[in-house]
Amino acid sequence: MSDHTIQLLESGTNDEADHLAALHAALVDRATTESSVDATYRVVDSPVGALLLAATEAGVVRVAFAVEDHDRVLESLGTTVGSRILRGGHRLDPLARELDDYFAGARRDFDVPIDLRLAHGFRLSVLQHLKEIPYGTTESYGQVAVASGSPRAVRAVGSACATNPLPIVVPCHRVVRSDGSLGGYLGGLPAKELLLGLERGPR
Amino acid sequence: MKRPFEQAVTEHGAVVLRVCRSVLGPDEADDAWSETFLSALRAWPDLPEDANVRAWLVTIAHRKAVDVARARARHAVPVALVPDAPAPHRDQPEEALPDGGLWAALAALPDKQRLCVAYHHVAGLPHPEVARIVGGTPAAARRAAADGIARLRSTYAPEGRVSLHV
């Protein structure tokens, strides 16, 4: 009976969850203002499943499908962009809105600043080129290799797409095989099909 | 630490809030919590991978609580870590009363007892770790925690009847 005191001390009170949420939100705001966060993130729902969105001060640094395992993606961000990572804040609100519009068919390009620090060398030049492939069109891996300055690096284009840190925003889904078949996709082929179908429009 | 800091907030945020409330009372706990996690965030990358995160956070919270108490002392007469315990509101609904009563009973403890109760029973740290934070020997920390709990049992009735006098 008297151990009820200890139990209360250990287990806390009912109002805690809401209260902590408010404290957490204030922490993210303060930390963002004084630039002591390496990245903030949020998870949004979409027709291709839950998407993890992460941004640094420079811009959106990562978009990840659920199949990539969001926990693992965050762990990996901890070593690449830095471990001062917090959930929430407002940095990703614009991208979340643009994604909603994109999936509603009301937007063709993304305007948010992006941070490509996770890509290097040839992969980075591939991603730079992918941004130029217009909405609703596709290019083959070979065409992308040529456009990226290394016509023989077709396989390397494939791995650049497979390791794209910003899928959907940097449209690696617009790269398909020269015979018209889909090739691969880091978010799974059904997601690639859905995105290409969305961009083809209703018919 | 290479792990995302968010994990530390998720895993230990509630405990640290409870510790701050135990040490400072509910009114000033929020400030101490915020200061604790803001400075923990800044220092996070330098924390060794094998560090005991909870003990580290409680150590920071302890320093922040001392800061808050000092700031209060500069503005008011009382010098104790916690201000006079507010009497529980008579008109409060029943479910709110036990917690308010618990904070009041904690606030009425001598500083050392309250700190040792907070860091051992609320934060779950072992006595040697508590001693490292509050000073003194592990045996003294154990004794202070036990004395504090004994006193709480006599001053705080979880059924809702609260007496601040032993």
Side-chain angles (χ1 to χ4, degrees), chain A residues 4 30 45 51 76 82 89 100 109 113 124 143 153 163 169 173 182 188:
Chain A
H4 191 79
R30 271 181 78 184
D45 280 326
L51 294 173
S76 138
D100 279 345
D109 300 296
L124 179 59
Q143 284 173 305
T163 56
V169 174
H173 59 274
L182 282 180

Side-chain angles (χ1 to χ4, degrees), chain B residues 75-96:
Chain B
H75 300 294
V77 188
V79 286
L81 198 51
V82 165
D84 287 341
H89 300 284
R90 298 264 152 156
D91 54 348
Q92 257 180 328
E94 237 183 336
E95 74 268 13

Side-chain angles (χ1 to χ4, degrees), chain B residues 139-162:
Chain B
R142 177 193 297 275
R143 204 159 44 241
D147 290 350
I149 286 294
R151 191 144 165 184
L152 278 180
R153 281 178 181 146
S154 67
T155 55
Y156 170 63
E159 288 74 27
R161 287 177 292 104
V162 178

Side-chain angles (χ1 to χ4, degrees), chain B:
Chain B
M1 246 345 145
K2 297 270 196 274
R3 284 191 297 136
F5 183 73
E6 180 67 26
Q7 286 182 11
V9 189
T10 309
E11 283 167 34
H12 307 294
V15 165
V16 171
L17 180 59
R18 241 173 281 146
V19 166
C20 292
R21 285 176 168 179
S22 305
V23 173
L24 289 167
D27 291 345
E28 287 172 319
D30 289 1
D31 277 350
W33 189 96
S34 302
E35 295 299 330
T36 297
F37 276 96
L38 199 58
S39 60
L41 172 68
R42 294 188 198 114
W44 183 247
D46 300 324
L47 186 68
E49 294 295 321
D50 59 352
N52 178 339
V53 175
R54 179 177 293 198
W56 179 69
L57 287 170
V58 171
T59 306
I60 299 175
H62 173 74
R63 280 193 228 116
K64 297 300 174 189
V66 169
D67 289 349
V68 170
R70 279 207 191 110
R72 181 206 304 140
R74 276 198 296 275
H75 300 294
V77 188
V79 286
L81 198 51
V82 165
D84 287 341
H89 300 284
R90 298 264 152 156
D91 54 348
Q92 257 180 328
E94 237 183 336
E95 74 268 13
L97 191 58
D99 301 327
L102 184 58
W103 306 132
L106 273 163
L109 293 181
D111 281 355
K112 176 101 181 217
Q113 288 182 14
R114 187 178 51 260
L115 294 177
C116 291
V117 166
Y119 304 153
H120 179 68
H121 290 284
V122 181
L125 302 185
H127 295 298
E129 196 70 35
V130 175
R132 203 183 45 74
I133 297 173
V134 303
T137 64
R142 177 193 297 275
R143 204 159 44 241
D147 290 350
I149 286 294
R151 191 144 165 184
L152 278 180
R153 281 178 181 146
S154 67
T155 55
Y156 170 63
E159 288 74 27
R161 287 177 292 104
V162 178
S163 161
L164 292 179
H165 305 284
V166 184

Side-chain angles (χ1 to χ4, degrees), chain A residues 135-150:
Chain A
Y135 182 94
T137 68
T138 58
E139 278 185 16
S140 71
Y141 291 95
Q143 284 173 305
V144 174
V146 172
S148 306
S150 301

Side-chain angles (χ1 to χ4, degrees), chain A residues 172-197:
Chain A
C172 58
H173 59 274
R174 292 176 196 155
V175 185
V176 296
R177 289 208 181 119
S178 48
D179 65 5
S181 66
L182 282 180
Y185 193 53
L186 77 174
L189 285 182
K192 188 171 191 172
E193 243 161 6
L194 188 146
L195 294 172
L196 291 174

